[in-house]
Amino acid sequence: MLIFGNKGALVDALRSSNRQNGGQLTDAQIDQAVNVGMVVAVVIALLCLLFAFKLRAGRNRARIVLTVITALQLISLLVGQCTVLGYISVLAAVVGVALSFTNPSNKFINGAKTLR
């Protein structure tokens, strides 16, 4: 996962931002914030993977959850700073969600629903 390779850059960016805003956080608090952020990112990635498998199994609620996660990802992209990889990630998610609402996908999900 790419976030683990960028841990040093995240810590440096937070420390720099902390200094610019008066330096109210200690280095330990900054390290803890980065670690919590990394854990949250891993949990979200695992949830997306789980729901992608659920969508592959024909679960409509997985399509809805992935749509909500993609919308939140798109909002965070528009609000905060992002890298080229972030834009590519959001683009892939939006395309995936859009494809999950096409007619063949609807037929697949409805067919899987009748088998249950």
Side-chain angles (χ1 to χ4, degrees):
M1 303 206 34
L2 295 175
I3 193 165
F4 293 112
N6 293 332
K7 182 178 181 180
L10 289 171
V11 170
D12 291 341
L14 277 176
R15 285 187 179 144
S16 174
S17 177
N18 185 44
R19 272 188 244 101
Q20 291 174 355
N21 294 325
Q24 297 174 353
L25 298 175
T26 66
D27 285 345
Q29 289 172 322
I30 291 172
D31 289 337
Q32 185 178 14
V34 169
N35 289 335
V36 167
M38 290 174 63
V39 168
V40 168
V42 168
V43 168
I44 291 172
L46 290 174
L47 281 174
C48 286
L49 187 62
L50 170 73
F51 283 108
F53 281 111
K54 294 289 187 183
L55 181 61
R56 176 102 164 78
R59 303 289 182 162
N60 189 48
R61 63 179 171 259
R63 179 166 57 174
I64 294 166
V65 170
L66 288 172
T67 302
V68 170
I69 291 173
T70 300
L72 292 174
Q73 187 179 8
L74 184 60
I75 290 169
S76 73
L77 175 80
L78 297 174
V79 171
Q81 295 177 334
C82 198
T83 62
V84 172
L85 190 59
Y87 287 109
I88 292 170
S89 171
V90 169
L91 178 65
V94 168
V95 168
V97 166
L99 288 175
S100 75
F101 283 96
T102 61
N103 197 24
S105 296
N106 290 335
K107 288 179 183 176
F108 174 76
I109 288 173
N110 289 333
K113 195 182 301 183
T114 60
L115 292 176
R116 283 181 261 157

